[in-house]
Amino acid sequence: MVMAALLSACASNPRPRSPQGRPAAKIGAKQEGTASWYGPDFHGKRTACGERFDQEALTAAHGSWPCGTRVKVTLVQTGRSVVVTINDLFRGHKGRVIDVSRGAARAIGLLGPGTGRVRLEVVR
């Protein structure tokens, strides 16, 4: 019985699964809007995709693109970009289109202002 439990744990799929009902994101799909960032309060907790949130990783939450989607995020104000992996749900709080991790926010210069206008493009 213990052996069966160990084998089933090893056989589990390590890739995060997208929440049901999310259509695949088309490469090249674009979106513009306001971004925000999140980190300390969620660090170490499970994301909607099933992985542990690391506030320094280059990840993000989006309202409709599925888990595993790679998105180029460009902060209009700075012109700086970062590629993030969608690993969480985001319901468009206050009209925002994406919520990036603290690490991603730092990379594009979003930490200080907290929110900013971004251009998104699905790259994979």
Side-chain angles (χ1 to χ4, degrees):
M1 186 141 160
V2 172
M3 183 59 90
L6 290 173
L7 288 174
S8 67
C10 292
S12 67
N13 185 352
R15 299 185 76 198
R17 296 199 181 272
S18 181
Q20 294 295 328
R22 285 191 166 200
K26 185 176 180 180
I27 293 175
K30 296 180 181 182
Q31 188 175 23
E32 289 193 26
T34 302
S36 55
W37 69 271
Y38 69 125
D41 292 345
F42 298 93
H43 187 73
K45 295 181 180 173
R46 292 264 180 215
T47 68
C49 299
E51 59 188 57
R52 292 218 179 266
F53 177 68
D54 176 354
Q55 67 180 349
E56 298 306 325
L58 300 179
T59 59
H62 191 271
S64 60
W65 291 336
C67 299
T69 301
R70 305 265 299 160
V71 180
K72 180 180 176 184
V73 180
T74 303
L75 183 61
V76 173
Q77 180 181 350
T78 64
R80 290 164 46 189
S81 299
V82 66
V83 175
V84 299
T85 301
I86 302 299
N87 74 338
D88 209 353
L89 282 171
F90 185 64
R91 300 267 186 228
H93 178 69
K94 296 182 181 178
R96 297 177 190 146
V97 296
I98 197 166
D99 203 11
V100 299
S101 66
R102 180 179 175 174
R106 181 181 302 109
I108 60 175
L110 186 65
L111 271 185
T115 62
R117 186 94 180 145
V118 292
R119 285 191 303 273
L120 308 178
E121 180 178 1
V122 175
V123 296
R124 184 174 62 101

mmCIF file of all heavy atoms in Angstrom, residues 11-34:
data_model
loop_
_atom_site.group_PDB
_atom_site.id
_atom_site.type_symbol
_atom_site.label_atom_id
_atom_site.label_comp_id
_atom_site.label_asym_id
_atom_site.label_seq_id
_atom_site.Cartn_x
_atom_site.Cartn_y
_atom_site.Cartn_z
ATOM 1 N N ALA A 11 4.405 9.403 -10.326
ATOM 2 C CA ALA A 11 3.803 9.400 -11.648
ATOM 3 C C ALA A 11 2.971 10.646 -11.922
ATOM 4 O O ALA A 11 2.509 10.857 -13.023
ATOM 5 C CB ALA A 11 2.920 8.158 -11.810
ATOM 6 N N SER A 12 2.797 11.494 -10.929
ATOM 7 C CA SER A 12 1.963 12.677 -11.135
ATOM 8 C C SER A 12 2.615 13.618 -12.136
ATOM 9 O O SER A 12 3.822 13.691 -12.265
ATOM 10 C CB SER A 12 1.706 13.398 -9.813
ATOM 11 O OG SER A 12 2.905 13.933 -9.320
ATOM 12 N N ASN A 13 1.797 14.350 -12.854
ATOM 13 C CA ASN A 13 2.267 15.271 -13.868
ATOM 14 C C ASN A 13 2.784 16.541 -13.195
ATOM 15 O O ASN A 13 2.019 17.257 -12.575
ATOM 16 C CB ASN A 13 1.111 15.596 -14.820
ATOM 17 C CG ASN A 13 1.553 16.448 -15.981
ATOM 18 O OD1 ASN A 13 2.678 16.935 -16.021
ATOM 19 N ND2 ASN A 13 0.667 16.625 -16.931
ATOM 20 N N PRO A 14 4.073 16.876 -13.336
ATOM 21 C CA PRO A 14 4.618 18.052 -12.674
ATOM 22 C C PRO A 14 4.230 19.366 -13.347
ATOM 23 O O PRO A 14 4.425 20.419 -12.794
ATOM 24 C CB PRO A 14 6.129 17.827 -12.767
ATOM 25 C CG PRO A 14 6.312 17.004 -13.992
ATOM 26 C CD PRO A 14 5.088 16.127 -14.056
ATOM 27 N N ARG A 15 3.696 19.324 -14.568
ATOM 28 C CA ARG A 15 3.325 20.546 -15.265
ATOM 29 C C ARG A 15 2.006 21.077 -14.719
ATOM 30 O O ARG A 15 1.063 20.327 -14.499
ATOM 31 C CB ARG A 15 3.180 20.284 -16.754
ATOM 32 C CG ARG A 15 4.492 19.804 -17.365
ATOM 33 C CD ARG A 15 4.376 19.659 -18.831
ATOM 34 N NE ARG A 15 4.428 21.002 -19.374
ATOM 35 C CZ ARG A 15 4.016 21.318 -20.581
ATOM 36 N NH1 ARG A 15 3.507 20.414 -21.363
ATOM 37 N NH2 ARG A 15 4.100 22.558 -21.018
ATOM 38 N N PRO A 16 1.919 22.383 -14.499
ATOM 39 C CA PRO A 16 0.673 22.952 -13.999
ATOM 40 C C PRO A 16 -0.435 22.813 -15.031
ATOM 41 O O PRO A 16 -0.185 22.857 -16.225
ATOM 42 C CB PRO A 16 1.014 24.425 -13.750
ATOM 43 C CG PRO A 16 2.245 24.696 -14.518
ATOM 44 C CD PRO A 16 2.951 23.382 -14.679
ATOM 45 N N ARG A 17 -1.635 22.610 -14.556
ATOM 46 C CA ARG A 17 -2.781 22.495 -15.447
ATOM 47 C C ARG A 17 -3.597 23.776 -15.394
ATOM 48 O O ARG A 17 -3.754 24.383 -14.359
ATOM 49 C CB ARG A 17 -3.651 21.315 -15.035
ATOM 50 C CG ARG A 17 -2.940 19.995 -15.175
ATOM 51 C CD ARG A 17 -3.951 18.865 -15.203
ATOM 52 N NE ARG A 17 -3.286 17.594 -15.308
ATOM 53 C CZ ARG A 17 -2.951 17.036 -16.464
ATOM 54 N NH1 ARG A 17 -3.194 17.647 -17.583
ATOM 55 N NH2 ARG A 17 -2.364 15.869 -16.483
ATOM 56 N N SER A 18 -4.116 24.139 -16.549
ATOM 57 C CA SER A 18 -4.928 25.342 -16.636
ATOM 58 C C SER A 18 -6.301 25.082 -16.049
ATOM 59 O O SER A 18 -6.865 24.003 -16.212
ATOM 60 C CB SER A 18 -5.081 25.736 -18.105
ATOM 61 O OG SER A 18 -5.826 26.903 -18.220
ATOM 62 N N PRO A 19 -6.857 26.078 -15.370
ATOM 63 C CA PRO A 19 -8.230 25.937 -14.894
ATOM 64 C C PRO A 19 -9.161 25.654 -16.077
ATOM 65 O O PRO A 19 -8.912 26.127 -17.182
ATOM 66 C CB PRO A 19 -8.527 27.295 -14.257
ATOM 67 C CG PRO A 19 -7.188 27.825 -13.885
ATOM 68 C CD PRO A 19 -6.250 27.324 -14.948
ATOM 69 N N GLN A 20 -10.190 24.878 -15.849
ATOM 70 C CA GLN A 20 -11.121 24.491 -16.905
ATOM 71 C C GLN A 20 -11.730 25.703 -17.591
ATOM 72 O O GLN A 20 -11.962 26.731 -16.978
ATOM 73 C CB GLN A 20 -12.249 23.630 -16.315
ATOM 74 C CG GLN A 20 -11.785 22.297 -15.791
ATOM 75 C CD GLN A 20 -11.255 21.397 -16.885
ATOM 76 O OE1 GLN A 20 -11.700 21.442 -18.019
ATOM 77 N NE2 GLN A 20 -10.288 20.573 -16.543
ATOM 78 N N GLY A 21 -11.988 25.562 -18.881
ATOM 79 C CA GLY A 21 -12.702 26.582 -19.622
ATOM 80 C C GLY A 21 -11.846 27.687 -20.223
ATOM 81 O O GLY A 21 -12.369 28.592 -20.850
ATOM 82 N N ARG A 22 -10.548 27.622 -20.075
ATOM 83 C CA ARG A 22 -9.700 28.656 -20.662
ATOM 84 C C ARG A 22 -9.246 28.215 -22.047
ATOM 85 O O ARG A 22 -8.582 27.199 -22.192
ATOM 86 C CB ARG A 22 -8.469 28.914 -19.796
ATOM 87 C CG ARG A 22 -8.796 29.703 -18.564
ATOM 88 C CD ARG A 22 -7.530 30.157 -17.908
ATOM 89 N NE ARG A 22 -7.869 31.170 -16.924
ATOM 90 C CZ ARG A 22 -7.006 32.042 -16.449
ATOM 91 N NH1 ARG A 22 -5.774 32.031 -16.850
ATOM 92 N NH2 ARG A 22 -7.378 32.923 -15.567
ATOM 93 N N PRO A 23 -9.597 28.995 -23.072
ATOM 94 C CA PRO A 23 -9.151 28.637 -24.424
ATOM 95 C C PRO A 23 -7.660 28.898 -24.597
ATOM 96 O O PRO A 23 -7.086 29.726 -23.894
ATOM 97 C CB PRO A 23 -9.978 29.571 -25.315
ATOM 98 C CG PRO A 23 -10.299 30.740 -24.453
ATOM 99 C CD PRO A 23 -10.419 30.195 -23.054
ATOM 100 N N ALA A 24 -7.056 28.182 -25.527
ATOM 101 C CA ALA A 24 -5.631 28.384 -25.800
ATOM 102 C C ALA A 24 -5.404 29.804 -26.307
ATOM 103 O O ALA A 24 -6.235 30.365 -27.016
ATOM 104 C CB ALA A 24 -5.157 27.378 -26.835
ATOM 105 N N ALA A 25 -4.283 30.376 -25.931
ATOM 106 C CA ALA A 25 -3.915 31.718 -26.399
ATOM 107 C C ALA A 25 -3.172 31.578 -27.724
ATOM 108 O O ALA A 25 -2.260 30.754 -27.846
ATOM 109 C CB ALA A 25 -3.041 32.405 -25.364
ATOM 110 N N LYS A 26 -3.548 32.364 -28.698
ATOM 111 C CA LYS A 26 -2.927 32.306 -30.016
ATOM 112 C C LYS A 26 -1.618 33.091 -30.006
ATOM 113 O O LYS A 26 -1.572 34.232 -29.528
ATOM 114 C CB LYS A 26 -3.884 32.887 -31.054
ATOM 115 C CG LYS A 26 -3.394 32.780 -32.461
ATOM 116 C CD LYS A 26 -4.431 33.285 -33.428
ATOM 117 C CE LYS A 26 -3.901 33.166 -34.852
ATOM 118 N NZ LYS A 26 -4.877 33.654 -35.811
ATOM 119 N N ILE A 27 -0.553 32.479 -30.529
ATOM 120 C CA ILE A 27 0.728 33.176 -30.611
ATOM 121 C C ILE A 27 0.529 34.444 -31.435
ATOM 122 O O ILE A 27 -0.106 34.428 -32.488
ATOM 123 C CB ILE A 27 1.814 32.273 -31.217
ATOM 124 C CG1 ILE A 27 2.116 31.121 -30.258
ATOM 125 C CG2 ILE A 27 3.087 33.069 -31.522
ATOM 126 C CD1 ILE A 27 3.089 30.100 -30.783
ATOM 127 N N GLY A 28 1.035 35.549 -30.911
ATOM 128 C CA GLY A 28 0.874 36.842 -31.572
ATOM 129 C C GLY A 28 -0.310 37.645 -31.073
ATOM 130 O O GLY A 28 -0.441 38.820 -31.398
ATOM 131 N N ALA A 29 -1.182 37.013 -30.261
ATOM 132 C CA ALA A 29 -2.328 37.748 -29.706
ATOM 133 C C ALA A 29 -1.806 38.909 -28.871
ATOM 134 O O ALA A 29 -0.809 38.778 -28.164
ATOM 135 C CB ALA A 29 -3.188 36.817 -28.850
ATOM 136 N N LYS A 30 -2.482 40.058 -28.990
ATOM 137 C CA LYS A 30 -2.040 41.256 -28.277
ATOM 138 C C LYS A 30 -3.161 41.828 -27.436
ATOM 139 O O LYS A 30 -4.339 41.627 -27.728
ATOM 140 C CB LYS A 30 -1.548 42.302 -29.265
ATOM 141 C CG LYS A 30 -0.328 41.846 -30.030
ATOM 142 C CD LYS A 30 0.157 42.866 -31.014
ATOM 143 C CE LYS A 30 1.360 42.274 -31.737
ATOM 144 N NZ LYS A 30 1.946 43.193 -32.677
ATOM 145 N N GLN A 31 -2.757 42.540 -26.410
ATOM 146 C CA GLN A 31 -3.713 43.194 -25.518
ATOM 147 C C GLN A 31 -3.008 44.387 -24.884
ATOM 148 O O GLN A 31 -1.793 44.360 -24.683
ATOM 149 C CB GLN A 31 -4.163 42.200 -24.434
ATOM 150 C CG GLN A 31 -5.279 42.677 -23.565
ATOM 151 C CD GLN A 31 -5.751 41.600 -22.590
ATOM 152 O OE1 GLN A 31 -5.026 40.674 -22.260
ATOM 153 N NE2 GLN A 31 -6.972 41.734 -22.128
ATOM 154 N N GLU A 32 -3.746 45.435 -24.610
ATOM 155 C CA GLU A 32 -3.201 46.598 -23.909
ATOM 156 C C GLU A 32 -4.096 46.930 -22.737
ATOM 157 O O GLU A 32 -5.291 46.650 -22.765
ATOM 158 C CB GLU A 32 -3.108 47.811 -24.840
ATOM 159 C CG GLU A 32 -2.035 47.668 -25.886
ATOM 160 C CD GLU A 32 -1.726 48.974 -26.600
ATOM 161 O OE1 GLU A 32 -1.943 50.055 -26.013
ATOM 162 O OE2 GLU A 32 -1.259 48.895 -27.743
ATOM 163 N N GLY A 33 -3.500 47.508 -21.719
ATOM 164 C CA GLY A 33 -4.279 47.897 -20.554
ATOM 165 C C GLY A 33 -3.379 48.181 -19.371
ATOM 166 O O GLY A 33 -2.177 48.397 -19.532
ATOM 167 N N THR A 34 -3.961 48.172 -18.202
ATOM 168 C CA THR A 34 -3.232 48.474 -16.977
ATOM 169 C C THR A 34 -2.769 47.189 -16.307
ATOM 170 O O THR A 34 -3.512 46.220 -16.216
ATOM 171 C CB THR A 34 -4.132 49.272 -16.007
ATOM 172 O OG1 THR A 34 -4.552 50.458 -16.662
ATOM 173 C CG2 THR A 34 -3.385 49.638 -14.738
#
